[in-house]
Amino acid sequence: MKRLLKGGRVVDPANGRDGAFDILIDGERIARVGKDLPVDGARVVEVPAGFVLTPGLFDMHVHLREPGQEHKETVATGVASAVAGGFTAVACMPNTTPINDNAGVTEYILQKAAQANLARVYPIGAVSRGSNGDQLADIAELRAAGCVGISDDGRPVKTSLLMRRALEYAGMFNMPVLEHCEDPSLKGEGVAHEGYHASALGLRGIPAVAESIMAQRDIALAEMTGASVHICHMSAATSLRAVREGKRYGARVTCEVAPHHFTLTDESLATPVSYDTNMKMNPPLRAASDRDEMLKGIADGSVDVIATDHAPHHYDEKKMEFDLAPFGIVGLETCVSICFDRLVHPGVIRLPRLVELLSANPARILNVPAGTLSEGAVADISVLAPDLPVTVDPSRFRSKARNTPFGGWQLKGGVAATLVGGRTVYVNESAGGAERFE
Amino acid sequence: MTTEQVATISKLRHKDLLGIADLTPDEILLILDTAEAMREIGDRPIKKVPALRGKTVVNLFFEASTRTRTSFEIAEKRLSADTLNIAAQSSSLVKGETLVDTALNLEAMAPDMIVLRHAYSGACHLLSRICRAGIINAGDGMHEHPTQALLDAFTIREHKKRIAGLKVAIVGDLLHSRVLRSNVQLLTKLGAEVWVSGPPTLMPPGIERQGVRGTTSVDEAVEGADVVMLLRVQLERMQGAFFPSLREYFSVFGMTRDRLRRAKPDVIIMHPGPMNRGVEIDSEVADGPYSVILEQVANGVAVRMAVLYLLAGGAEHEAAA
């Protein structure tokens, strides 16, 4: 079956396109992209004015919680959440129960993803067995089973030596090591950014340097080994400084920032509600100067990726004393709106740059065939509505979890529809005209 | 007694007392003025008034406490409240019940007030969001201990007749202290000049943003002070290596008679207790003529009576009864 998406604005930085183009989809793939394409027996979808077609968005940092933590999220609910957020693919972290440190777990996740048949799922395997930092996991086996990167996310790779070995070994497959940067001794029992607000509330602090000291270690090792390291959920200005410097001297380092880290600050610990456990994540919401530096890095190109660190938790787990509640918030269904409202509309970046951050760059870093609308590529397409007014309503999330700090926020910009492999997997009924993609 | 600062309001429009941070200077003065009246009740042969008759107050203590719990209980009994004590550190948590469930179960039995002591900062805020009962913070983690700061202010006012303009030096483990945080809030709101001193490893980040002067020199903090308040070195919170040894702590930060010579001649010495003699305070100072440490304890009852009375509706309630 052929569909011709006609007359929309196409933003595809990988091919240098930003303008009105038609896209002809034939089966699962993009057959042609061009001006005024002939209908040629295809079903025509007149793209409503104001909608934007981009390569499928790819969130390279999510927690799908399956196997083992299905009360928080499952692969099925996670990918439903992804497509509702405009994402056609996600990379899921290995800190499940058991840890994704062997092909059996990887295959289980992929099987669940195939059953759900919504967003594509690219598993990240563990660096070390049980992510306990002692012995490398069977990385070649993980790769053969479908893993596209390795990480001990949730904790840092324990020793400098193991990080060196992981970089060297994974480098043989051109797989990056995705690092949760955190010096455990500096983090201690901390639950919030070390600064005035945590101090006034009597919360133990996690200093920004706990992150950047580990980023510096990893960048030095990436330079030494020539392998790729990717700094996950970067939050501190000093980490970004290390990344910029590393890039300058040629280390293969990339980094991602989560929407909450370029939007919120540690002031949210105190206002409007004190001790809101939906403001508790790791790394924590940092100082305003850190947040501003993340925005600068997004604007000047030193930040490579926006990823959500989607971390669903059951409401029982979050309805606890601040110290006892788990770290993390969901992010898949608010990311695009936050990005439009806080980055594109205020002029921090233009739309093509956002598409790089959310699609082309994560695809390149993980060597995944995505991030372009080239002829012959799979037809993973996000249909965005930059001017759509959105009120964040957690009760309507497709995710099992509701732990968002953005509940009730009114934002400008959202998702109209999501196409995976040429098939429409999500239509936003509140975006007028989106039903044409059905 | 005559004091320079008195309240211009007569009611406390709060359901809870979660921290001094939520109080205006006038509200603080109202509590202190009310405590003056309450103290007289403790001097009577029959130490009881009917102000809280028919009210149920639960003392829910998740951390060991002798002084604060006893003080609240005496205050409640002097106001004729029905009180019960739950020492929860050994019961529900061990059975796996959450704080929220414990509170909801208590709430189902319709208490009027819950006095909560808890090891985690913000526990009182969590309860205040789910309970109809008024919540009184009797110490939450490292956050606040508002009735301690109120009884400290009451004691200072009694001796100095004022708080505005006094130099108050607070010395000790600042980082882990909820007493510090409440006192800084209260004393700066009432116009005192507050100095805090302790090892740099125990200095709370951003403390100067709360309007105090921080110094690692105890001598500088004590110089010309009207009030010197020592904070307990919290040995149970000392997993991190904050300083080399207790011996060294005493030699650098311990309050001795010698150090105290820099203070004003009529300085008063305070300590929220329990004291580590020979660590943050020399026994000569603790037991010396300037020490008001036991007066603090005595005043605690009157201040807590005032808080309970005002939160329960104060004069309004009495008129109705």
Side-chain angles (χ1 to χ4, degrees):
Chain A
M1 189 196 88
K2 290 183 184 176
R3 278 203 286 180
L4 182 63
L5 312 184
K6 223 176 166 34
R9 176 181 170 194
V10 172
V11 177
D12 178 15
N15 287 302
R17 285 201 178 98
D18 180 2
F21 291 92
D22 299 345
I23 298 176
L24 179 67
I25 300 170
D26 186 359
E28 290 189 354
R29 293 190 177 268
I30 295 171
R32 286 189 68 189
V33 181
K35 303 264 185 196
D36 303 318
L37 295 181
V39 174
D40 194 20
R43 189 160 71 81
V44 174
V45 176
E46 294 283 353
V47 178
F51 283 11
V52 175
L53 306 179
T54 75
L57 306 184
F58 177 19
D59 188 345
M60 69 176 286
H61 194 131
V62 305
H63 299 269
L64 296 181
R65 304 300 192 202
E66 196 175 359
Q69 300 152 25
E70 291 84 355
H71 64 293
K72 296 174 192 264
E73 189 85 287
T74 63
V75 172
T77 57
V79 293
S81 178
V83 297
F87 291 98
T88 60
V90 295
C92 60
M93 286 295 165
N95 58 340
T96 46
T97 314
I99 299 273
N100 183 13
D101 63 357
N102 66 79
V105 177
T106 306
E107 284 159 8
Y108 179 85
I109 293 166
L110 289 172
Q111 186 195 331
K112 291 287 176 184
Q115 284 166 7
N117 199 19
L118 292 169
R120 298 177 199 277
V121 173
Y122 295 101
I124 305 295
V127 168
S128 61
R129 285 196 191 164
S131 282
N132 60 20
D134 294 326
Q135 192 182 355
L136 288 177
D138 291 331
I139 293 167
E141 184 187 295
L142 286 165
R143 176 181 150 81
C147 287
V148 296
I150 54 171
S151 178
D152 277 348
D153 187 50
R155 54 182 92 162
V157 175
K158 193 161 87 180
T159 64
S160 306
L161 178 63
L162 188 75
M163 188 62 178
R164 174 194 174 172
R165 300 281 187 246
L167 284 163
E168 287 172 335
Y169 195 82
M172 137 172 96
F173 308 113
N174 205 21
M175 273 167 94
V177 180
L178 282 51
E179 174 75 315
H180 169 113
C181 291
E182 173 183 285
D183 180 306
S185 68
L186 284 169
K187 183 203 172 209
E189 301 293 306
V191 294
H193 173 63
E194 181 177 307
Y196 167 74
H197 293 289
S199 173
L201 291 170
L203 296 172
R204 285 185 175 75
I206 305 173
V209 72
E211 175 183 286
S212 47
I213 206 165
M214 196 61 94
Q216 284 165 340
R217 175 194 85 170
D218 295 336
I219 294 165
L221 289 168
E223 185 193 15
M224 172 202 174
T225 59
S228 298
V229 69
H230 175 78
I231 310 298
C232 295
H233 43 56
M234 188 174 63
S235 64
T238 43
S239 306
L240 182 55
R241 190 172 68 197
V243 167
R244 283 186 177 127
E245 197 184 338
K247 286 183 172 186
R248 202 156 49 233
Y249 60 66
R252 292 175 66 191
V253 54
T254 53
C255 66
E256 73 194 25
V257 175
H260 47 276
H261 285 132
F262 65 73
T263 309
L264 300 167
T265 69
D266 61 344
E267 198 178 350
S268 297
L269 296 168
T271 52
V273 179
S274 301
Y275 303 101
D276 181 352
T277 56
N278 285 332
M279 299 296 170
K280 181 178 176 182
M281 59 288 278
N282 190 18
L285 298 176
R286 297 284 183 196
S289 54
D290 291 302
R291 189 263 320 267
D292 294 347
E293 200 59 26
M294 295 305 110
L295 288 170
K296 263 190 219 160
I298 287 167
D300 71 17
S302 39
V303 169
D304 300 277
V305 170
I306 291 171
T308 67
D309 194 8
H310 179 81
H313 291 292
H314 194 273
Y315 73 87
D316 279 345
E317 297 168 311
K318 279 290 196 181
K319 207 173 172 184
M320 296 284 279
E321 297 90 322
F322 195 89
D323 283 87
L324 299 182
F327 291 103
I329 57 166
V330 292
L332 282 165
E333 289 169 76
T334 47
C335 178
V336 164
S337 295
I338 296 276
C339 288
F340 273 120
D341 195 84
R342 296 306 164 109
L343 300 178
V344 178
H345 293 311
V348 176
I349 55 171
R350 297 181 61 246
L351 190 48
R353 168 76 178 137
L354 181 65
V355 175
E356 282 176 9
L357 288 159
L358 282 172
S359 178
N361 290 354
R364 190 191 73 236
I365 290 164
L366 293 177
N367 304 302
V368 165
T372 77
L373 294 174
S374 305
E375 292 176 358
V378 289
D380 292 356
I381 302 171
S382 299
V383 185
L384 307 181
D387 297 320
L388 182 71
V390 170
T391 301
V392 177
D393 179 0
S395 72
R396 301 191 52 164
F397 283 172
R398 310 286 169 112
S399 168
K400 260 194 186 184
R402 306 278 178 266
N403 51 313
T404 176
F406 300 117
W409 281 38
Q410 299 191 327
L411 300 163
K412 187 176 163 191
V415 177
T418 309
L419 280 65
V420 174
R423 189 170 51 98
T424 300
V425 291
Y426 172 74
V427 168
N428 180 358
E429 283 159 9
S430 59
E435 69 284 350
R436 295 179 196 172
F437 290 89
E438 291 276 17
Chain B
M1 80 189 274
T2 48
T3 59
E4 290 179 4
Q5 292 165 291
V6 294
T8 60
I9 54 167
S10 61
K11 271 184 226 163
L12 205 54
R13 298 188 185 280
H14 294 281
K15 168 175 137 340
D16 311 305
L17 176 62
L18 303 181
I20 302 296
D22 304 324
L23 298 179
T24 64
D26 241 358
E27 290 171 333
I28 294 166
L29 292 170
L30 173 64
I31 294 170
L32 299 182
D33 293 350
T34 309
E36 302 277 0
M38 291 295 170
R39 187 170 51 175
E40 178 266 329
I41 295 166
D43 298 332
R44 297 180 192 172
I46 306 293
K47 299 180 178 59
K48 212 174 183 71
V49 293
L52 294 192
R53 196 172 54 197
K55 301 272 181 191
T56 307
V57 183
V58 178
N59 299 314
L60 180 58
F61 277 60
F62 284 85
E63 266 190 339
S65 159
T66 311
R67 198 183 335 262
T68 304
R69 196 192 54 68
T70 310
S71 179
F72 265 109
E73 194 178 349
I74 291 174
E76 291 152 9
K77 289 191 152 73
R78 286 190 181 163
L79 294 172
S80 305
D82 297 316
T83 74
L84 62 142
N85 297 312
I86 302 175
Q89 76 262 33
S90 54
S91 57
S92 54
L93 271 188
V94 173
K95 291 178 195 159
E97 189 176 59
T98 64
L99 174 62
V100 168
D101 282 336
T102 302
L104 289 175
N105 277 279
L106 286 174
E107 179 80 356
M109 295 180 261
D112 296 285
M113 279 188 264
I114 297 174
V115 178
L116 180 69
R117 157 72 61 98
H118 199 282
Y120 292 120
S121 303
C124 298
H125 290 73
L126 179 61
L127 249 59
S128 82
R129 288 199 276 271
I130 59 172
C131 290
R132 285 187 308 272
I135 307 296
I136 298 177
N137 185 354
D140 64 324
M142 311 188 306
H143 175 228
E144 281 225 42
H145 191 353
T147 57
Q148 177 70 43
L150 287 162
L151 73 89
D152 290 341
F154 185 88
T155 307
I156 294 170
R157 205 167 70 149
E158 191 171 46
H159 282 268
K160 305 293 178 192
K161 311 297 176 211
R162 65 190 169 106
I163 289 181
L166 295 179
K167 179 173 179 180
V168 181
I170 306 177
V171 183
D173 175 358
L174 307 168
L175 184 66
H176 298 105
S177 178
R178 52 196 173 209
V179 175
L180 172 85
R181 286 172 177 80
S182 285
N183 262 302
V184 164
Q185 287 279 349
L186 191 154
L187 293 169
T188 54
K189 280 183 182 187
L190 292 192
E193 178 194 346
V194 182
W195 286 68
V196 300
S197 183
T201 49
L202 290 170
M203 196 66 78
I207 182 78
E208 64 291 340
R209 272 181 68 183
Q210 306 216 22
V212 306
R213 299 280 302 270
T215 174
T216 54
S217 161
V218 176
D219 288 347
E220 189 187 10
V222 169
E223 186 72 45
D226 299 282
V227 178
V228 173
M229 185 183 295
L230 287 323
L231 297 175
R232 196 164 69 89
V233 173
Q234 304 201 23
L235 303 169
E236 72 275 18
R237 293 192 211 269
M238 285 295 156
Q239 313 95 319
F242 291 101
F243 52 82
S245 67
L246 294 178
R247 195 174 137 272
E248 178 153 316
Y249 182 90
F250 181 70
S251 76
V252 183
F253 299 99
M255 192 53 58
T256 58
R257 217 162 51 170
D258 218 31
R259 284 216 165 95
L260 213 48
R261 290 211 179 89
R262 293 173 178 274
K264 288 237 178 81
D266 62 344
V267 67
I268 57 172
I269 301 296
M270 308 181 78
H271 194 302
M275 281 186 282
N276 299 306
R277 289 170 181 265
V279 180
E280 68 265 2
I281 187 166
D282 192 14
S283 283
E284 275 191 335
V285 173
D287 305 327
Y290 309 122
S291 169
V292 297
I293 294 169
L294 292 175
E295 286 175 43
Q296 291 174 266
V297 179
N299 292 336
V301 175
V303 164
R304 289 177 176 117
M305 287 171 77
V307 168
L308 289 157
Y309 171 78
L310 289 168
L311 285 182
E316 198 172 55
H317 164 80
E318 207 163 46

